[in-house]
């Protein structure tokens, strides 16, 4: 078995213990001392646990990276060389066998220790990193997952107009190249991009602020209420410095919501202990899921300046954290008092030290356990054990094999394992930070980001009750959301998040305010938008019915004129043997009266809900019946004209006159129209149809005429008959007779043509049921014109002037 060996397992932790030079004096970041404590606590637990590495004591060595990759690289070469002699690739001693390295809160440092190392800071590896750095493990998930989490967070709160702040280096460039297209794809715009320096001394920061004042004025003058900041811990110090000198430039207080990735932490150097941090109140951050290992809080409470030998950081931490001196030799410094050594860490503000384990410290804690479990698995392998006993050394490749497949539950109850890319499989916590005027702060976990969750469900468990500061802030949008009934109209030469609000187009609605995207949508065909254009409501069927006022009035007129026509027909039947009824062909007169009666009854086919039969019959019956009436009138007119032309007794013209000619004219005129209608029915018959676009809120139930050409052909033929009848009657109007019927036919045709000439434009300009009403009115008025002009004078003589109803009077020539 292997004996106790304290130096056998050596962990290198380039602890991020920043040193800034302010006027040639060094100043550390006390808060980062917790990383040292997390490492020491983990090693202590493992050494006291008989289940992990029995008979093996872990040792560790901690080096300060100073946030400088160059210093880290030099330390790596030193560890791989002879102790106290810088001879790379040669080792002339058997102590300090480096098994694994833990460190790298910065990406550049992580890249410089990529020899079986575990980086505890967020790290976005370059393409092909797994091939170049096969032994690098990340104690955090891939950084790119946080970008999508930020997008989901912005969408959750409806923040579509934000500012981007990125560190001015290659990582900042990669961040912007990735983030800007992602924001655009999810409907989010940025108002500005500000680059902050990666690292500077205080004199350089002030000079930078004076030189690039206009660049930082954007932060104070912008309309965006949300800033997404990307950078690493030194960038935060630079940002705090900029806000410290902002009052000297008379910049107003900055009340914005800050969103950052897991790189950031509120850690201050002692110089900044009294600086205001209210600017960051309500700040939201993504951090690797952390928990509190049992016993850590008690372990931290026991920390004192003399708590352990070999701790080269405790004195510096204690003096800077409590602003005192442990060494009497340094008492000459102004404003310093002697440290008592029993100061309470609980009394320190959160920007200097936190008693609960923070995210980066939790990563360090898990990294130590990951290596310990991998080593334990390595020793439990018989083959590797024999190899160890024989050669007394471990191969990094062997440890890498076990580390890549390790999976365990830590003392806090969380599972630790890596994916195929060497990244920790874990969730991100969404944390809301509350800042208080006395420098203390509180973390409130408000949600989690699960990279393994299905799309659109990565950000879950988000509490509705965030801190009052976040909820009180207005939406971060380019302009106010459009009210219901209005939709977005793009502004020229501005980002798509900036728009004007215009009333929704016809048939479109917008019924919700505050949505990320344009909520305008079109109503279905059976629905239409209300007056305010905020909702779709059912369309009302529209047709000329018997129940409505217009339908009732037209029905009454139809019945009335039909009754009058029937009375006239009855009157003529009663006085059928009188000269005025017998004159000008009594049979044609009867046919004309019957056709007029049917003309007055035609509108009954137009009133009511359109059906297949009524749609098929209405225009056919109307066309044929009117053609019979007009053909009869034409026959009567020609008969009148020919009667006066055949003046010689026994002439051939007189013999040809009679019932046969008139009936032939009436029949032939009707048969031509019947042919048109038959062709119409065969080729494209009328059918019931609906029109949902002509009238708002109406579903027009109508008869589709099938073929507009055939419809106008039928009307055109009626027009031809009417015009021919008018011309013939006009020519015979001055024939000598005491009762010249041609005069009345002329007037009747004049009325008929006037009605139907005005019908066409009226028919084309109206919509819905009023189209039917116009046609019914034309039918009734033209039929009434024929009835009144032709039969009115005759009825007047029959009823009121029977003395004039004699053969002598009718034969009297003027």
């Amino acid at each position: 078995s292997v004996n106790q060996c304290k130096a056998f397992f050596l962990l290198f932790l380039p602890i991020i213990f920043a040193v800034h030079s302010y006027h040639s004096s060094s100043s550390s970041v006390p808060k980062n001392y917790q990383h040292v404590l997390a490492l020491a606590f983990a090693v202590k637990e493992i050494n006291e646990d008989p289940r992990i590495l029995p008979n093996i004591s872990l040792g560790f060595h901690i080096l300060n990276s100073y946030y400088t990759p160059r210093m880290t690289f030099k330390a790596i070469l030193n560890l791989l060389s002879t102790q106290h002699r810088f001879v790379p690739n040669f080792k002339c001693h058997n102590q300090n066998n480096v098994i694994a390295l833990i460190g790298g809160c910065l990406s550049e440092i992580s890249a410089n220790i990529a020899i079986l190392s575990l980086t505890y800071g967020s790290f976005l590896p370059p393409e092909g990193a797994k091939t170049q750095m096969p032994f690098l493990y990340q104690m955090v998930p891939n950084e790119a997952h946080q970008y999508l989490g930020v997008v989901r967070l912005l969408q959750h709160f409806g923040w579509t107009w934000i500012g981007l702040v990125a560190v001015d280096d290659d990582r900042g460039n990669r961040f912007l190249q990735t983030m800007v297209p992602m924001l655009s794809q999810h409907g989010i715009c940025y108002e500005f991009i500000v680059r902050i320096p990666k690292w500077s001394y205080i004199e350089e920061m002030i000079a930078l602020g004076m030189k690039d004042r206009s660049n930082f004025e954007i932060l104070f003058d912008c309309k965006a209420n949300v800033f997404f900041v990307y950078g690493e811990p030194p960038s935060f110090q630079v940002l705090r410095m900029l806000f410290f000198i902002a009052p000297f430039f008379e910049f107003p207080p900055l009340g914005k919501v800050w969103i950052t990735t897991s790189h950031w932490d509120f850690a201050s150097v002692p110089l900044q202990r009294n600086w205001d941090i209210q600017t960051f109140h309500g700040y939201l951050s993504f951090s690797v899921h952390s928990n509190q290992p049992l016993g850590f809080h008690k372990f931290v409470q026991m920390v004192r300046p003399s708590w352990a030998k070999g701790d080269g950081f405790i004195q510096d931490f204690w003096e800077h954290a409590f602003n005192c001196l442990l060494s009497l030799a340094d008492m000459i410094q102004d404003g310093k008092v002697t440290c008592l050594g029993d100061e309470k860490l609980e009394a320190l503000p959160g920007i200097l030290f936190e008693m609960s384990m923070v995210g980066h410290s939790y990563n360090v804690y898990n990294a130590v356990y990951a290596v310990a479990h991998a080593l334990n698995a390595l020793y439990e392998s018989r083959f590797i054990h024999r190899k160890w006993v024989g050669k007394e050394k471990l191969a990094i490749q062997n440890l890498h094999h076990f580390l890549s497949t390790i999976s365990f539950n830590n003392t806090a109850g969380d599972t630790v394992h890596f994916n195929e890319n060497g990244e920790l499989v874990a969730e991100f916590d969404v944390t809301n930070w509350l800042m208080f005027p006395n420098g203390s702060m509180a973390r409130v976990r408000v949600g989690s980001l699960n990279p393994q969750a299905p799309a659109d469900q990565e950000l879950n468990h988000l509490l509705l009750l965030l801190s009052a500061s976040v909820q009180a802030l207005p939406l971060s949008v380019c302009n106010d959301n459009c009210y219901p009934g209005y939709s977005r109209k793009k502004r020229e030469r501005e980002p798509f998040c900036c728009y004007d609000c215009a009333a929704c187009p016809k048939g479109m609605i917008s019924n919700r305010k505050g949505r990320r995207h344009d909520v305008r949508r079109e109503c279905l065909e059976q629905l239409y938008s209300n007056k305010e254009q905020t909702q779709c409501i059912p369309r009302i069927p529209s047709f000329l019915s018997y129940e409505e006022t217009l339908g009732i009035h037209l029905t009454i007129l139809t019945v009335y004129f039909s009754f009058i026509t029937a009375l006239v027909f009855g009157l003529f039947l009663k006085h059928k043997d009188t000269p005025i009824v017998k004159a000008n062909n009594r049979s044609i007169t009867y046919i004309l009266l019957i056709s007029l009666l049917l003309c007055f009854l035609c509108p009954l086919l137009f009133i009511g809900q359109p059906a297949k039969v009524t749609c098929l019959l209405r225009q056919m019956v109307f066309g044929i019946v009117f053609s019979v009436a007009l053909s009869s009138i034409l026959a009567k007119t020609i008969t009148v004209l020919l009667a006066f032309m055949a003046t010689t007794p026994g002439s051939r013209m007189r013999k040809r006159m009679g019932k046969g000619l008139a009936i032939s004219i009436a029949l032939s005129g009707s048969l031509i129209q019947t042919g048109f209608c038959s062709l119409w029915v065969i080729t494209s018959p009328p059918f019931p149809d609906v029109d949902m676009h002509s009238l708002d809120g109406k579903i027009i139930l109508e008869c589709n005429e099938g073929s507009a050409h055939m419809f106008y052909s039928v009307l055109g033929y009626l027009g031809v008959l009417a015009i021919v009848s008018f011309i013939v009657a006009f020519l015979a109007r001055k024939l000598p007779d005491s009762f010249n019927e041609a005069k009345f036919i002329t007037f009747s045709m004049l009325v008929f043509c006037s009605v139907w000439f005005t019908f066409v434009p009226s028919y084309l300009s109206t919509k819905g049921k009023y189209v039917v009403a116009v046609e019914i009115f034309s039918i009734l008025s033209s039929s009434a014109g024929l009835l009144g002009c032709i039969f009115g004078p005759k009825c007047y003589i029959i009823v009121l002037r029977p003395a004039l109803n004699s053969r002598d009077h009718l034969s009297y020539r003027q």
Side-chain angles (χ1 to χ4, degrees):
S1 62
V2 181
N3 297 324
Q4 294 282 345
C5 181
K6 184 176 182 179
F8 165 73
F9 176 47
L10 183 65
L11 288 174
F12 169 69
L13 177 62
I15 186 69
I16 304 309
F17 208 83
V19 175
H20 297 251
S21 178
Y22 302 131
H23 303 288
S24 300
S25 64
S26 64
S27 181
S28 63
V29 181
K31 192 171 183 178
N32 288 342
Y33 182 65
Q34 192 190 90
H35 306 339
V36 176
L37 298 180
L39 172 63
F41 178 69
V43 172
K44 177 179 178 293
E45 280 190 333
I46 293 170
N47 287 336
E48 294 175 353
D49 190 347
R51 296 170 297 179
I52 305 177
L53 295 174
N55 300 323
I56 299 296
S57 294
L58 300 183
F60 58 88
H61 186 65
I62 302 176
L63 293 180
N64 194 346
S65 70
Y66 297 96
Y67 282 132
T68 307
R70 181 176 56 186
M71 297 289 291
T72 305
F73 186 70
K74 180 181 178 181
I76 293 293
L77 292 178
N78 184 44
L79 285 172
L80 298 177
S81 304
T82 303
Q83 194 169 17
H84 307 301
R85 294 180 61 189
F86 186 71
V87 184
N89 296 327
F90 287 91
K91 180 176 289 188
C92 304
H93 58 87
N94 294 323
Q95 308 296 320
N96 302 335
N97 294 316
V98 178
I99 301 303
L101 308 177
I102 298 176
C105 190
L106 298 186
S107 301
E108 293 173 320
I109 294 176
S110 300
N112 280 285
I113 63 172
I115 48 172
L116 195 59
S117 63
L118 293 90
T119 173
Y120 63 88
S122 186
F123 181 52
L124 183 61
E127 294 183 5
K130 194 59 181 175
T131 303
Q132 301 172 12
M133 297 176 285
F135 304 135
L136 178 64
Y137 291 86
Q138 302 178 51
M139 298 309 298
V140 295
N142 192 295
E143 178 183 304
H145 295 310
Q146 301 177 66
Y147 300 165
L148 183 59
V150 172
V151 169
R152 297 286 184 246
L153 192 66
L154 296 173
Q155 291 177 330
H156 177 82
F157 289 107
W159 291 328
T160 59
W161 190 245
I162 67 171
L164 293 176
V165 182
V167 62
D168 193 8
D169 62 2
D170 292 339
R171 284 176 56 79
N173 294 335
R174 290 179 62 190
F175 161 75
L176 293 175
Q177 292 172 1
T178 304
M179 197 67 201
V180 169
M182 184 180 294
L183 291 174
S184 179
Q185 291 171 5
H186 292 84
I188 301 170
C189 305
Y190 64 91
E191 183 177 0
F192 61 85
I193 296 177
V194 169
R195 307 300 294 270
I196 55 177
K198 179 181 179 182
W199 176 268
S200 286
Y201 295 111
I202 185 170
E203 297 87 351
E204 295 176 355
M205 284 189 240
I206 295 176
L208 179 65
M210 297 293 292
K211 180 181 178 180
D212 297 335
R213 175 179 175 180
S214 59
N215 187 31
F216 296 106
E217 281 181 351
I218 299 175
L219 299 175
F220 296 88
D221 299 334
C222 66
K223 190 176 180 180
N225 289 316
V226 176
F227 294 165
F228 181 24
V229 188
Y230 180 85
E232 294 179 324
S235 306
F236 175 67
Q237 305 298 338
V238 175
L239 197 59
R240 288 202 67 192
M241 181 62 70
L242 293 174
F243 287 125
F244 175 74
I245 64 177
F248 298 100
F249 297 132
E250 298 182 352
F251 287 143
L254 188 65
K256 305 292 183 180
V257 175
W258 299 81
I259 301 176
T260 66
T261 54
S262 61
H263 310 83
W264 288 71
D265 192 10
F266 283 101
S268 299
V269 297
L271 177 68
Q272 301 169 329
R273 70 166 65 231
N274 295 322
W275 290 7
D276 180 33
I277 59 172
Q278 290 296 107
T279 299
F280 300 99
H281 181 64
Y283 141 87
L284 294 168
S285 69
F286 286 83
S287 57
V288 180
H289 173 69
S290 61
N291 215 329
Q292 300 303 313
L294 297 176
F296 180 74
H297 190 273
K298 185 177 180 180
F299 176 79
V300 173
Q301 287 179 326
M302 296 172 60
V303 172
R304 294 294 183 271
S306 59
W307 79 294
K309 296 180 180 180
D311 187 349
F313 300 107
I314 184 65
Q315 180 176 346
D316 188 66
F317 160 73
W318 207 269
E319 290 181 346
H320 284 98
F322 293 101
N323 196 25
C324 61
L325 294 174
L326 288 171
S327 175
L328 295 176
D330 297 330
M331 288 295 295
I332 59 175
Q333 297 187 31
D334 296 335
K336 298 289 185 177
V337 297
T338 304
C339 297
L340 300 178
D342 59 351
E343 288 83 2
K344 302 294 184 182
L345 293 180
E346 295 95 326
L348 293 175
I351 57 174
L352 295 179
F353 191 81
E354 292 186 63
M355 296 298 292
S356 59
M357 186 176 285
V358 299
H360 286 147
S361 298
Y362 189 66
N363 295 341
V364 172
Y365 177 82
N366 285 330
V368 175
Y369 265 96
V371 175
H373 278 280
L375 278 172
N376 191 64
L378 182 65
Y379 287 129
E380 290 178 353
S381 171
R382 294 182 178 179
F383 174 77
I384 299 298
H385 179 67
R386 289 195 298 270
K387 187 175 182 179
W388 158 251
V389 173
K391 296 185 178 181
E392 296 185 353
K393 67 177 182 179
L394 293 175
I396 287 180
Q397 291 85 348
N398 295 330
L399 185 60
H400 163 66
H401 169 73
F402 287 96
L403 191 59
S404 63
T405 58
I406 197 70
S407 179
F408 64 93
N409 292 331
N410 62 15
T411 59
D414 291 332
T415 301
V416 178
H417 68 284
F418 302 97
N419 62 16
E420 63 278 4
N421 296 320
E423 302 164 352
L424 185 70
V425 178
E427 294 184 349
F428 288 96
D429 289 339
V430 183
T431 305
N432 181 214
W433 296 70
L434 306 180
M435 305 298 176
F436 302 101
N438 62 357
S440 62
M441 57 189 184
R443 306 167 184 248
V444 181
R445 182 175 179 270
V446 296
S448 62
L449 173 67
N450 184 7
Q452 289 76 39
D456 298 330
Q457 298 180 20
E458 300 91 346
L459 195 65
N460 50 33
H461 306 302
L462 192 66
L463 303 181
L464 297 178
L465 298 177
L466 287 178
S467 65
S469 61
V470 175
Q471 292 294 335
L473 283 176
L475 281 177
S476 185
V477 293
C478 182
N479 48 268
D480 292 336
N481 290 289
C482 296
Y483 285 92
Y486 290 82
S487 60
R488 300 177 181 181
K489 183 180 180 181
K490 186 181 183 302
R491 295 178 183 174
E492 294 295 331
R493 298 180 181 179
E494 291 194 30
F496 63 88
C497 296
C498 300
Y499 49 84
D500 295 318
C501 294
C504 290
K506 181 179 178 181
M508 309 288 284
I509 67 165
S510 174
N511 58 355
R512 303 182 73 177
K513 179 186 176 184
R515 293 282 297 274
R516 299 183 302 273
H517 306 291
D518 197 340
V519 296
R520 185 180 68 183
R521 64 185 178 89
E522 186 175 3
C523 294
L524 299 176
E525 283 192 346
Q526 295 80 8
L527 307 175
Y528 77 103
S529 58
N530 60 351
K531 184 178 180 181
E532 295 78 16
Q533 292 185 283
T534 58
Q535 60 179 335
C536 294
I537 57 179
R539 293 178 180 269
I540 301 174
S542 175
F543 60 91
L544 188 60
S545 67
Y546 290 102
E547 290 79 13
E548 60 180 303
T549 304
L550 181 60
I552 293 174
H553 288 168
L554 292 176
T555 302
I556 293 174
L557 287 176
T558 298
V559 175
Y560 172 76
F561 282 117
S562 300
F563 179 72
I564 295 299
T565 306
L567 287 178
V568 172
F569 186 51
L571 184 65
F572 270 58
L573 289 176
K574 182 178 180 180
H575 299 85
K576 61 181 179 178
D577 295 326
T578 60
I580 200 169
V581 175
K582 295 172 64 178
N584 202 3
N585 202 323
R586 181 171 53 186
S587 300
I588 293 298
T589 300
Y590 292 161
I591 294 174
L592 177 58
L593 282 173
I594 293 173
S595 62
L596 286 177
L597 178 61
L598 295 177
C599 287
F600 282 121
L601 293 176
C602 276
L604 297 180
L605 294 174
F606 290 81
I607 303 175
Q609 182 172 345
K612 185 175 182 180
V613 176
T614 55
C615 287
L616 186 64
L617 292 178
R618 59 170 59 173
Q619 300 295 356
M620 308 299 169
V621 172
F622 154 73
I624 294 174
V625 169
F626 261 82
S627 65
V628 172
L630 292 176
S631 298
S632 300
I633 292 173
L634 179 61
K636 291 174 68 67
T637 308
I638 292 176
T639 301
V640 171
L641 184 62
L642 294 179
F644 285 93
M645 292 177 62
T647 54
T648 305
S651 65
R652 185 177 302 175
M653 181 71 67
R654 180 179 293 272
K655 291 180 180 180
R656 293 178 179 176
M657 290 177 58
K659 296 181 181 181
L661 178 62
I663 292 175
S664 298
I665 295 173
L667 183 61
S668 60
S670 304
L671 289 177
I672 295 175
Q673 184 73 295
T674 303
F676 279 120
C677 292
S678 300
L679 182 63
W680 188 0
V681 171
I682 295 172
T683 57
S684 181
F687 58 91
D689 198 5
V690 293
D691 180 6
M692 298 188 180
H693 306 289
S694 298
L695 295 177
D696 291 337
K698 305 289 185 181
I699 299 179
I700 301 175
L701 304 181
E702 61 181 6
C703 287
N704 191 312
E705 306 304 344
S707 174
H709 296 291
M710 295 304 302
F711 173 69
Y712 288 110
S713 297
V714 170
L715 289 181
Y717 179 72
L718 294 179
V720 170
L721 289 178
I723 291 173
V724 172
S725 298
F726 173 76
I727 293 174
V728 175
F730 183 80
L731 295 176
R733 73 188 188 282
K734 293 184 178 181
L735 294 177
D737 196 352
S738 61
F739 188 84
N740 189 355
E741 194 173 21
K743 296 179 182 179
F744 306 112
I745 293 175
T746 302
F747 283 114
S748 66
M749 290 298 101
L750 186 61
V751 172
F752 186 90
C753 292
S754 299
V755 169
W756 288 103
F757 281 145
T758 57
F759 163 77
V760 175
S762 301
Y763 182 85
L764 296 176
S765 61
T766 53
K767 299 177 181 179
K769 60 185 178 182
Y770 300 103
V771 174
V772 180
V774 166
E775 188 169 359
I776 292 175
F777 178 80
S778 299
I779 292 173
L780 293 178
S781 57
S782 59
S783 301
L786 296 178
L787 180 66
C789 293
I790 296 177
F791 294 97
K794 293 183 178 182
C795 293
Y796 173 77
I797 294 174
I798 293 173
V799 176
L800 300 178
R801 302 293 297 275
L804 300 178
N805 190 6
S806 62
R807 185 176 180 84
D808 295 336
H809 180 77
L810 293 178
S811 301
Y812 173 73
R813 300 177 180 229
Q814 297 179 350

